[in-house]
C-alpha cells in the first residue's frame, strides 16, 4: 500500500508510473515463483510412529491414513509400531539416552511434561495453527504448554466415570450409588449372593491404585499433590480414601485384584463378573467384544462422592496427545502426517473406531451427521453426555494446580501401588505406609526441575 501511495504522490509522468508498475509486477512475479518452488517441494523421508492403540479398529484406522499419506507422497515411508501404555513408558525413557525414540508418537498426558523436561520434544505451534488453534479446547492444549510453546496436540478425550450393570441393580432393587458408602453397601449386598460389586486393582506395573485413590480424594475436592507440588497422602481425606479402598478390597474385591493392571481389571466387567467399575467409554467396546448379550445392561454415571450434597469438583480427564520428537530427522513429514490425521474424514473414521470411548478434541465434530448416526452413540447417548460433562470438569491426575512433572512421576513410578500392597500384605499401618510413600515421592520430585 505504501508503494502504491508513493507512486501516486510522485506521479509526474507516465514513464515514472510505468516504472512503479513494472517494479510491482516484478516483485509479484518473484513472490509467485517462490510460492511455486515451495509448493513443488515434495515430502520425503522415513519416519517411525509409536502408538498404543492395540485394539484392531483404532490400529487399522491409523494404518489406513498412513497408507493414504504414503500414496500421496511416494517418497515418504511410515513405519508404525505398537506398544501397550505401560511398555511405551519404559520404551521411551530407556530409549531416550540412546536415541532410540520415534519421530511421532502418542503419549499419556502425565508423560508429556516429563518429555519436555528431558528436552525430547519440539513445539507444535505451527501445526496447531494449520489445523486451527481455535478449534481445540484450550484446557486440552494447555496441558502441554510451556511458556508460549505447545508440545503436544490432543487427539481425543475421555474421562473416568462409573460403569454400572443396570440389570443387577434392578435384580437387587438398588439405586445407582451416589456416595462411596452407598457403593460399599450395594457391593456388599451383591457379594452375599456371589456377585462381585467392585474389583480394586493394585498391581505395581500400573497406576490403577493411584487412579482409585484419586477418585476418592478428588470427589471431596482434594488432590494427591499440594499446591507446591509435594505428595499428599497423609491428609485426612487421603487417609480416608486409603482406608476406604483397603476395606473394599478386603470385603468386596476378588483377592487376585491385588496384582491387577488396567486390562485385567476391565476384563472382569467385560465378562460380566463385576457390577460396578470405573473407566471411560472404552468399556462399551470391551463388553461388546466379550459379552455382547450384556450390551443393553450397562450404562455410565458420575463417580460417587463422600457426601451426596458435595459439589462436582471434577475427577480424571485424559486428553490423549500426539507429540513429535526432537530426534526426528524428518519433522516436516511427521507434522504433515499429524495434520493428515485431523482431516475431517480421517478423524471421523478414527473416532468411529471406538465410539463414545474417544471423544473429539476439536469443535463441531459432534454436530456432523456422520458422527451422530453411529448406532453405538445413539444407544449410549446418556453415557456420552455423562462422559462429556466429566471431560470438561476434570484434569489429568495431579494437574489440579496445573501441569507438572511431579504428577507424571506420581502416576508412572507406582509408589502408591507399592504403598497399598505394603498395607495389605504386611499389615503396615496406613499412616505409616503413607508417610514412607510420601517421602519416596518427594525425594524423586527433588531430582527434577522445580515446577
Amino acid at each position: 500500500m505504501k508503494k502504491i501511495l508513493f507512486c501516486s504522490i510522485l506521479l509526474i509522468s507516465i514513464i515514472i508510473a510505468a516504472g512503479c508498475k513494472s517494479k510491482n509486477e516484478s516483485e509479484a512475479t518473484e513472490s509467485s515463483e517462490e510460492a511455486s518452488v515451495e509448493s513443488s517441494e515434495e515430502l520425503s523421508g522415513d519416519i517411525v510412529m509409536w502408538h498404543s492403540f492395540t485394539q484392531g479398529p483404532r490400529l487399522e484406522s491409523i494404518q489406513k491414513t498412513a497408507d493414504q499419506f504414503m500414496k500421496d507422497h511416494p517418497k515418504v515411508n511410515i513405519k508404525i509400531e505398537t506398544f501397550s501404555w505401560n511398555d511405551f513408558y519404559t520404551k521411551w525413557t530407556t530409549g531416550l539416552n540412546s536415541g532410540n525414540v520415534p519421530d511421532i508418537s502418542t503419549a499419556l498426558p502425565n508423560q508429556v511434561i516429563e518429555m519436555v523436561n528431558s528436552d525430547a520434544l519440539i513445539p507444535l505451534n505451527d501445526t496447531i495453527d494449520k489445523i486451527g488453534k481455535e478449534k481445540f479446547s484450550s484446557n486440552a492444549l494447555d496441558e502441554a504448554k510451556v511458556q508460549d510453546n505447545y508440545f503436544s496436540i490432543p487427539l481425543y478425550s475421555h474421562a473416568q466415570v462409573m460403569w454400572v450393570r443396570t440389570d443387577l441393580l434392578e435384580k437387587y432393587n438398588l439405586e445407582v450409588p451416589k456416595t462411596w458408602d452407598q457403593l460399599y453397601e450395594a457391593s456388599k449386598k451383591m457379594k452375599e449372593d456371589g456377585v462381585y460389586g467392585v474389583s480394586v486393582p493394585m498391581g505395581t506395573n500400573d497406576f490403577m491404585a493411584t487412579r482409585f485413590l484419586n477418585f476418592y480424594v478428588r470427589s471431596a475436592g482434594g488432590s494427591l499433590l499440594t499446591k507446591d507440588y509435594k505428595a499428599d497422602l497423609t491428609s485426612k481425606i487421603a487417609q480416608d480414601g486409603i482406608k476406604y479402598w483397603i476395606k473394599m478390597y478386603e470385603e468386596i474385591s476378588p483377592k487376585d485384584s491385588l496384582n491387577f493392571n488396567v486390562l485385567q481389571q476391565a476384563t472382569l466387567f467385560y465378562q460380566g463378573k463385576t457390577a460396578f467399575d470405573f473407566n471411560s467409554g472404552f468399556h462399551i467396546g470391551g463388553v461388546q467384544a466379550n459379552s455382547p448379550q450384556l450390551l443393553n445392561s450397562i450404562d455410565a454415571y458420575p463417580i460417587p462422592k463422600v457426601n451426596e450434597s458435595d459439589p462436582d469438583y471434577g475427577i480424571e480427564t485424559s486428553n490423549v496427545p500426539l507429540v513429535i520428537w526432537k530426534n526426528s530427522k524428518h519433522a516436516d513429514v511427521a507434522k504433515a502426517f499429524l495434520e493428515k490425521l485431523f482431516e475431517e474424514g480421517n478423524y471421523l473414521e478414527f473416532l468411529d473406531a471406538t465410539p463414545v470411548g474417544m471423544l473429539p478434541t476439536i469443535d463441531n465434530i459432534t454436530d456432523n451427521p456422520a458422527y451422530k448416526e453411529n448406532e453405538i452413540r445413539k444407544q449410549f447417548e446418556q453415557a456420552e453426555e455423562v462422559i462429556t460433562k466429566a471431560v470438561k470438569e476434570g484434569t489429568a491426575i495431579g494437574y489440579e494446580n496445573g501441569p507438572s512433572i511431579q504428577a507424571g512421576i506420581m502416576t508412572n513410578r507406582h509408589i502408591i501401588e507399592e504403598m497399598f500392597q505394603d498395607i495389605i500384605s504386611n499389615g503396615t499401618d496406613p499412616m505409616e505406609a503413607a508417610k514412607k510413600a510420601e517421602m519416596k515421592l518427594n525425594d524423586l520430585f527433588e531430582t527434577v526441575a522445580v515446577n
Side-chain angles (χ1 to χ4, degrees):
M1 181 65 72
K2 289 181 179 179
K3 290 177 181 176
I4 294 173
L5 184 59
F6 180 74
C7 288
S8 299
I9 294 173
L10 298 182
L11 184 60
I12 300 173
S13 67
I14 295 175
I15 296 174
I16 296 176
C20 288
K21 181 180 178 183
S22 175
K23 181 179 179 182
N24 288 339
E25 285 180 345
S26 174
E27 290 176 348
T29 301
E30 289 176 6
S31 297
S32 176
E33 288 174 351
E34 289 174 2
S36 177
V37 169
E38 185 176 341
S39 64
S40 67
E41 290 181 357
E42 190 173 354
L43 290 172
S44 64
D46 297 347
I47 65 169
V48 174
M49 179 183 190
W50 289 355
H51 70 62
S52 297
F53 305 141
T54 54
Q55 298 95 335
R58 294 201 294 173
L59 188 153
E60 292 162 10
S61 173
I62 295 290
Q63 187 63 59
K64 182 179 177 181
T65 302
D67 291 342
Q68 183 59 54
F69 189 84
M70 289 186 285
K71 184 178 179 180
D72 294 341
H73 305 282
K75 294 184 179 180
V76 167
N77 182 62
I78 302 174
K79 180 182 179 182
I80 295 179
E81 300 178 2
T82 308
F83 304 95
S84 70
W85 290 111
N86 283 332
D87 288 344
F88 171 72
Y89 182 77
T90 302
K91 186 80 174 174
W92 82 258
T93 51
T94 56
L96 194 59
N97 290 333
S98 63
N100 184 25
V101 291
D103 297 84
I104 181 173
S105 77
T106 55
L108 288 176
N110 294 96
Q111 296 174 359
V112 176
I113 297 300
E114 273 197 81
M115 295 170 179
V116 173
N117 193 67
S118 300
D119 194 28
L121 306 178
I122 63 172
L124 296 174
N125 299 39
D126 54 345
T127 306
I128 291 170
D129 288 340
K130 286 182 180 179
I131 297 170
K133 183 178 179 181
E134 71 286 350
K135 296 179 182 178
F136 289 96
S137 157
S138 59
N139 288 341
L141 283 178
D142 287 350
E143 284 187 346
K145 184 179 181 183
V146 179
Q147 296 179 347
D148 294 327
N149 288 319
Y150 298 93
F151 285 90
S152 73
I153 299 180
L155 181 61
Y156 67 89
S157 296
H158 63 76
Q160 297 291 306
V161 293
M162 181 172 67
W163 285 90
V164 171
R165 282 280 302 279
T166 54
D167 58 329
L168 291 178
L169 288 183
E170 184 177 350
K171 177 181 177 180
Y172 292 99
N173 194 29
L174 294 167
E175 298 291 328
V176 175
K178 294 181 180 179
T179 69
W180 295 112
D181 286 343
Q182 289 172 10
L183 178 63
Y184 168 76
E185 293 297 336
S187 299
K188 186 176 180 180
K189 185 173 183 179
M190 292 179 182
K191 180 71 180 293
E192 291 170 355
D193 200 30
V195 177
Y196 286 118
V198 174
S199 170
V200 183
M202 299 179 180
T204 54
N205 65 339
D206 213 330
F207 64 94
M208 292 299 287
T210 301
R211 168 173 280 168
F212 273 48
L213 180 57
N214 187 63
F215 291 156
Y216 191 100
V217 170
R218 286 298 302 138
S219 74
S223 173
L224 296 178
L225 291 178
T226 64
K227 290 184 178 180
D228 58 348
Y229 301 101
K230 301 292 185 182
D232 188 7
L233 303 176
T234 54
S235 66
K236 182 182 185 305
I237 185 173
Q239 281 291 299
D240 287 347
I242 291 168
K243 292 172 184 176
Y244 177 82
W245 288 119
I246 294 293
K247 179 176 74 171
M248 291 293 279
Y249 170 79
E250 291 179 341
E251 298 184 27
I252 307 297
S253 179
K255 295 301 173 266
D256 288 348
S257 70
L258 181 66
N259 295 304
F260 276 5
N261 60 26
V262 63
L263 182 57
Q264 292 167 311
Q265 170 74 9
T267 298
L268 283 186
F269 190 81
Y270 297 165
Q271 295 175 344
K273 296 179 179 178
T274 49
F276 306 100
D277 195 21
F278 301 97
N279 211 306
S280 67
F282 281 86
H283 261 19
I284 296 170
V287 171
Q288 187 177 33
N290 289 269
S291 305
Q293 75 279 7
L294 295 177
L295 201 60
N296 294 326
S297 301
I298 64 168
D299 210 344
Y301 293 88
I303 286 176
K305 305 174 182 179
V306 175
N307 303 295
E308 195 170 333
S309 60
D310 288 345
D312 294 327
Y313 290 104
I315 310 291
E316 180 189 345
T317 295
S318 291
N319 300 297
V320 178
L322 291 165
V323 297
I324 294 180
W325 294 76
K326 199 169 186 178
N327 280 4
S328 176
K329 295 179 181 179
H330 302 287
D332 58 332
V333 176
K335 287 182 177 182
F337 179 55
L338 196 158
E339 292 169 34
K340 185 76 172 178
L341 292 170
F342 278 95
E343 288 183 4
E344 186 172 277
N346 296 330
Y347 193 49
L348 276 171
E349 185 171 342
F350 175 69
L351 295 175
D352 278 347
T354 313
V356 185
M358 297 190 299
L359 302 183
T361 56
I362 56 178
D363 290 339
N364 302 323
I365 292 294
T366 55
D367 295 329
N368 191 305
Y371 184 90
K372 292 181 175 181
E373 289 167 6
N374 182 278
E375 291 301 319
I376 291 294
R377 292 195 183 96
K378 287 181 180 179
Q379 180 177 351
F380 288 94
E381 182 178 2
Q382 192 270 154
E384 185 165 9
E385 289 176 359
V386 170
I387 298 168
T388 299
K389 183 175 184 292
V391 165
K392 294 177 180 178
E393 293 175 342
T395 69
I397 296 174
Y399 274 30
E400 296 81 25
N401 297 306
S404 71
I405 190 171
Q406 290 87 346
I409 291 172
M410 182 174 66
T411 54
N412 289 308
R413 302 301 174 88
H414 313 311
I415 289 172
I416 291 176
E417 284 68 30
E418 293 172 357
M419 175 194 73
F420 273 104
Q421 292 211 355
D422 184 29
I423 295 169
I424 291 169
S425 300
N426 302 322
T428 304
D429 176 76
M431 180 61 80
E432 181 185 340
K435 287 179 179 179
K436 288 193 294 185
E438 268 189 0
M439 186 177 298
K440 285 183 182 179
L441 284 168
N442 289 328
D443 285 347
L444 284 172
F445 295 167
E446 294 199 1
T447 66
V448 300
V450 177
N451 191 287

